[in-house]
């Protein structure tokens, strides 16, 4: 594993350098919430909350998820990315443009620890 200083020297920002130097995390479970957040569990057992609302802008690929029924169809794909199929009748493993996804690294860095109290 490389140090935080190594990643900083390669142009990573402080947050990303800290994340990568500590070791990458993988999403193992995703639970969608009606407030357009995701409860994520990572391979180290940590639970975090990812707020998808800032991504749901008109004209973006994520605009499709503004409809609650589309957002709630989230799953973890074979690369451990948090994913949604645009059309659930189409196999996204064959038609790649049918899928919206967020990689585990982004899910971890852009989420906050779940308050379990």
């Amino acid at each position: 594993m490389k140090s935080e200083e190594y990643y900083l020297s390669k142009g990573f920002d402080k947050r990303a350098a800290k994340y990568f130097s500590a070791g990458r995390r993988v999403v193992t479970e995703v639970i969608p919430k009606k407030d357009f957040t995701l409860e994520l569990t990572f391979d180290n057992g940590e639970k975090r909350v990812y707020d998808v609302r800032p991504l749901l802008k008109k004209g973006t690929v994520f605009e499709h998820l503004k409809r609650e029924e589309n957002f709630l169809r989230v799953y973890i794909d074979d690369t451990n990315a948090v994913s949604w199929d645009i059309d659930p009748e189409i196999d996204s493993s064959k038609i790649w443009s049918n899928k919206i996804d967020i990689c585990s690294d982004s899910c971890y860095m852009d989420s906050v620890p779940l308050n379990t109290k």
Side-chain angles (χ1 to χ4, degrees), residues 96-108:
W96 66 268
S97 60
N98 186 56
K99 186 166 67 171
I100 302 165
D101 61 6
I102 306 170
C103 73
S104 285
D105 297 327
S106 291
C107 284
Y108 192 89

Side-chain angles (χ1 to χ4, degrees), residues 54-115:
L55 301 176
L56 306 178
K57 296 179 181 162
K58 186 174 175 98
T60 69
V61 68
F62 293 99
E63 180 180 13
H64 176 75
L65 303 178
K66 286 175 120 175
R67 293 183 58 206
E68 185 178 278
E69 63 269 18
N70 294 337
F71 177 77
L72 294 175
R73 287 197 322 259
V74 67
Y75 65 96
I76 299 171
D77 73 8
D78 59 346
T79 66
N80 292 94
V82 171
S83 303
W84 296 266
D85 292 329
I86 295 168
D87 181 342
E89 302 299 317
I90 295 175
D91 183 351
S92 290
S93 66
K94 294 181 180 162
I95 309 295
W96 66 268
S97 60
N98 186 56
K99 186 166 67 171
I100 302 165
D101 61 6
I102 306 170
C103 73
S104 285
D105 297 327
S106 291
C107 284
Y108 192 89
M109 288 189 292
D110 295 335
S111 62
V112 295
L114 178 65
N115 184 358

Side-chain angles (χ1 to χ4, degrees), residues 26-78:
V26 174
V27 177
T28 59
E29 183 181 17
V30 59
I31 301 170
K33 302 296 183 176
K34 290 189 178 263
D35 66 352
F36 294 92
T37 62
L38 301 171
E39 182 178 312
L40 304 171
T41 303
F42 290 86
D43 58 344
N44 63 350
E46 186 176 358
K47 292 187 181 289
R48 297 176 68 88
V49 175
Y50 186 100
D51 187 353
V52 180
R53 290 173 293 194
L55 301 176
L56 306 178
K57 296 179 181 162
K58 186 174 175 98
T60 69
V61 68
F62 293 99
E63 180 180 13
H64 176 75
L65 303 178
K66 286 175 120 175
R67 293 183 58 206
E68 185 178 278
E69 63 269 18
N70 294 337
F71 177 77
L72 294 175
R73 287 197 322 259
V74 67
Y75 65 96
I76 299 171
D77 73 8
D78 59 346

